């Protein structure tokens, strides 16, 4: 990935110079392999051939969609979430941070914040007591908005109507209960831009009751490295 | 540094600049022709090596049109007769822009039976926006002439207002699909339509 230092252009005379500089690097080093992208203003706006997906969604120009340089992504625990689950949510975020060795996700609670899940450039985790009957089997859902190639908003809804969640095996009352930390590790993966994996790992599309699966696999961390 | 050395340096820098500019222009042209090269078999309609099926697909792709007008999505398929020969329907897939759910874009699939398509003498088919917007609450809908199905469209999520035509499917024994890139290549544009949340 070719990067411009501060990603911003200050005047029309500097912009073409940066393009020229980057093209110089490409031409001299023949570094423009398929998938190389030009990042300008924090956006990948030009790709030399479609990028490999690395299990990220791509826009119509074949460019992967992610937070780009705008990390850490800040997730706000909405007041609807029972406080006893805060530790599990924070631990879920740490699984990705420690796996990559960098601060990708920060989580904090804000009980004064009263927004509902919407495209407001604030990333929230919500405890939903109402859930569509058609999707009653869905444990959670992450909706992500993006602009060109950069994610600008991610909201996680947890289905508290149809599921009961547990912290650890000592607090599990029934094998149908869902391990919240495992669920959040999965949803944070989506919030970062990852799609489902068919290989093993936290990004498998289904999580059975009573199962603890909260460690991103080596492969998942490698794929995440395509963007972070 | 004397004048000659300075001149030499300027010449070297100028030469380097020209070389790099040419290199950049080359890379840009390679990028721009990449899609064309990939779809080389579809570019030349008069290519005698094309099968009748390839020529038909190209012609359908070239002539297809979709736009939003006031209260409807208007779809034009001048080759409806050819589409429906040996087939029973036409499907289009719309993909929401700038929103993903669980890493996938929301989608709407609309299927039209050939009987309905051929009933229109001008082969222009209208899809009421009012019906499309019901999909915000219903996963599937059926009318006399149309079938709708959604993926990743949820009633408690905002309605995506910007959609791209991502696929056309001819449904039937001689069916085939036309993807977004083939459409782009044939028509030199991406079909993007706006569907407001409220009419």
């Amino acid at each position: 990935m070719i990067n411009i230092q501060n990603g911003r252009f200050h005047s029309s005379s500097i912009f073409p110079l940066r393009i020229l500089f980057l093209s110089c690097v490409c031409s001299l080093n023949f570094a423009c392999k398929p998938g190389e992208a030009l990042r300008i203003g924090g956006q990948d706006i030009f790709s030399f051939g479609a990028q490999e997906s690395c299990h990220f969604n791509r826009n119509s120009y074949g460019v992967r969609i992610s937070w780009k340089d705008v990390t850490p992504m800040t997730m706000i625990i909405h007041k609807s979430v029972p406080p006893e689950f805060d530790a599990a949510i924070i631990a879920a975020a740490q699984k990705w941070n420690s796996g990559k060795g960098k601060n990708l996700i920060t989580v904090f609670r804000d009980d004064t914040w009263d927004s509902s899940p919407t495209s407001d450039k604030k990333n929230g985790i919500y405890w939903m007591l109402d859930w569509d009957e058609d999707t009653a089997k869905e444990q959670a859902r992450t909706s992500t908005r993006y602009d060109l190639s950069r994610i600008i908003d991610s909201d996680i809804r947890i289905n508290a109507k149809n599921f009961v969640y547990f912290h650890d095996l000592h607090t599990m009352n029934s094998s149908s209960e869902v391990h919240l930390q495992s669920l959040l590790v999965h949803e944070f993966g989506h919030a970062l831009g990852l799609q489902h994996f068919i290989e093993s790992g936290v990004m498998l599309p289904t999580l059975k009751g009573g199962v603890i699966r909260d460690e991103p696999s080596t492969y998942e961390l490698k794929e995440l490295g395509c963007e972070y | 540094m004397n004048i000659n050395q300075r001149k030499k340096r300027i010449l070297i820098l100028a030469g380097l600049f020209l070389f790099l500019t040419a290199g950049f222009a080359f890379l840009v042209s390679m990028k721009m022709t990449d899609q064309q090269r990939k779809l080389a078999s579809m570019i030349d309609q008069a290519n005698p090596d094309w099968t009748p099926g390839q020529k038909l697909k190209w012609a359908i792709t070239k002539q297809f049109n979709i736009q939003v007008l006031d209260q409807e999505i208007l779809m034009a398929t001048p080759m409806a007769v050819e589409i429906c020969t040996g087939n029973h329907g036409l499907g289009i897939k719309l993909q929401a822009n700038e929103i993903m759910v669980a890493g996938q874009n929301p989608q709407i699939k609309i299927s039209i039976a050939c009987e309905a398509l051929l009933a229109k003498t001008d082969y222009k088919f209208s899809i009421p926006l009012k019906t499309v917007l019901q999909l915000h609450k219903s996963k599937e809908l059926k009318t006399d002439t149309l079938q709708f199905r959604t993926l990743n469209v949820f009633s408690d999520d905002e309605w995506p207002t910007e959609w791209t035509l991502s696929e056309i499917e001819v449904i039937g024994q001689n069916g085939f699909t036309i993807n977004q890139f083939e459409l782009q290549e044939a028509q030199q544009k991406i079909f993007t339509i706006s569907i407001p949340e409220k009419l």
Side-chain angles (χ1 to χ4, degrees):
Chain A
M1 188 77 67
I2 301 157
N3 236 326
I4 301 173
Q5 272 304 309
N6 64 10
R8 295 185 192 279
F9 48 93
H10 302 289
S11 73
S12 58
S13 64
I14 296 176
F15 181 71
L17 280 175
R18 285 183 174 165
I19 290 286
L20 182 59
F21 170 74
L22 289 162
S23 65
C24 292
V25 173
C26 274
S27 304
L28 283 175
N29 298 328
F30 303 103
C32 296
K33 301 184 286 295
E36 288 286 349
L38 277 177
R39 183 169 290 183
I40 297 174
Q43 286 271 16
D44 289 337
I45 62 164
F46 186 79
S47 176
F48 294 91
Q51 291 186 309
E52 204 182 314
S53 76
C54 297
H55 288 87
F56 283 86
N57 202 349
R58 289 173 289 183
N59 63 21
S60 51
Y61 302 102
V63 178
R64 287 186 297 263
I65 300 162
S66 73
W67 286 92
K68 305 298 170 190
D69 296 333
V70 186
T71 51
M73 168 185 71
T74 302
M75 297 293 308
I76 307 170
I77 302 175
H78 187 260
K79 60 184 182 182
S80 57
V81 180
E84 62 258 35
F85 289 118
D86 283 10
I89 296 170
I90 292 166
Q94 273 307 110
K95 292 291 182 183
W96 289 108
N97 293 341
S98 55
K100 283 308 294 178
K102 48 175 87 165
N103 200 19
L104 294 174
I105 310 168
T106 59
V107 183
F108 70 95
R109 171 175 283 271
D110 185 351
D111 286 341
T112 65
W113 183 56
D114 199 16
S115 182
S116 54
T118 187
S119 179
D120 56 2
K121 297 189 182 175
K122 291 215 180 341
N123 317 307
I125 302 168
Y126 301 86
W127 196 255
M128 309 299 288
L129 297 172
D130 236 331
W131 201 268
D132 212 336
E133 279 309 311
D134 288 341
T135 51
K137 289 185 182 172
E138 202 181 36
Q139 293 157 347
R141 185 191 331 138
T142 301
S143 301
T144 305
R145 294 214 175 241
Y146 59 95
D147 172 29
L148 208 60
S149 70
R150 187 172 68 201
I151 297 174
I152 56 176
D153 184 284
S154 244
D155 291 318
I156 298 174
R157 292 171 171 85
I158 300 167
N159 182 353
K161 181 181 177 188
N162 302 113
F163 292 93
V164 176
Y165 299 94
F166 70 95
H167 298 276
D168 54 50
L169 291 170
H170 300 296
T171 59
M172 186 176 75
N173 293 317
S174 153
S175 60
S176 64
E177 291 180 8
V178 177
H179 187 231
L180 187 74
Q181 185 170 315
S182 298
L183 180 65
L184 263 299
V185 173
H186 178 96
E187 297 305 325
F188 282 143
H190 285 317
L192 288 168
L194 287 173
Q195 295 177 320
H196 286 140
F197 284 53
I198 56 170
E199 304 84 359
S200 59
V202 299
M203 296 310 296
L204 284 171
T206 54
L207 175 67
K208 286 187 179 162
V211 169
I212 294 177
R213 192 182 69 207
D214 59 1
E215 293 289 345
S217 67
T218 311
Y219 181 50
E220 286 168 333
L221 292 170
K222 175 180 163 285
E223 293 286 86
L224 195 70
C226 289
E227 284 297 302
Y228 302 105
Chain B
M1 185 189 298
N2 63 32
I3 291 172
N4 284 334
Q5 281 176 328
R6 187 175 284 175
K7 276 185 187 171
K8 206 173 171 183
R9 178 176 277 194
I10 289 170
L11 276 171
I12 289 170
L13 283 173
L16 189 64
F17 175 79
L18 280 170
F19 168 73
L20 294 171
T21 307
F24 179 69
F26 171 72
L27 286 167
V28 169
S29 70
M30 287 296 283
K31 199 274 179 198
M32 286 169 75
T33 58
D34 189 45
Q35 280 284 19
Q36 290 162 347
R37 282 183 275 114
K38 277 180 191 166
L39 299 172
S41 64
M42 290 214 40
I43 290 172
D44 186 359
Q45 190 176 0
N47 189 333
D49 293 333
W50 276 12
T51 64
Q54 280 179 301
K55 288 181 184 175
L56 175 64
K57 182 176 175 178
W58 172 254
I60 291 169
T61 311
K62 267 296 252 181
Q63 295 184 46
F64 188 87
N65 193 26
I66 187 168
Q67 56 182 321
V68 171
L69 299 172
D70 200 23
Q71 307 278 318
E72 62 181 5
I73 298 172
L74 192 65
M75 200 177 72
T77 54
M79 299 193 66
V81 170
E82 290 82 355
I83 287 169
C84 292
T85 303
N87 298 303
H88 58 261
L90 181 73
I92 62 168
K93 199 183 277 181
L94 300 173
Q95 181 167 289
N97 296 331
E98 299 184 344
I99 178 167
M100 297 186 291
V101 178
Q104 300 284 349
N105 297 96
Q107 289 177 8
I108 297 174
K109 178 140 185 218
I110 307 172
S111 304
I112 308 153
C114 272
E115 292 83 8
L117 210 53
L118 295 170
K120 300 274 179 174
T121 51
D122 61 356
Y123 305 128
K124 285 183 182 171
F125 198 85
S126 168
I127 303 167
L129 281 183
K130 201 170 144 184
T131 312
V132 175
L133 288 174
Q134 288 176 33
L135 293 169
H136 198 183
K137 303 226 182 297
S138 310
K139 299 272 173 280
E140 286 187 26
L141 274 177
K142 214 171 176 179
T143 67
D144 291 337
T145 53
L146 297 163
Q147 280 189 34
F148 298 83
R149 191 170 290 165
T150 64
L151 178 68
N152 286 340
V153 176
F154 298 95
S155 57
D156 57 356
D157 244 326
E158 288 172 18
W159 171 257
T161 54
E162 298 298 315
W163 297 81
T164 295
L165 178 64
S166 62
E167 190 178 281
I168 300 170
E169 185 190 2
V170 173
I171 307 164
Q173 197 179 351
N174 302 324
F176 54 86
T177 56
I178 301 165
N179 65 40
Q180 183 182 330
F181 305 104
E182 289 169 317
L183 266 169
Q184 242 173 282
E185 175 56 33
Q187 300 242 5
Q188 295 298 304
K189 66 181 179 191
I190 300 171
F191 282 102
T192 300
I193 58 174
S194 294
I195 305 175
E197 189 174 359
K198 288 187 175 129
L199 294 173

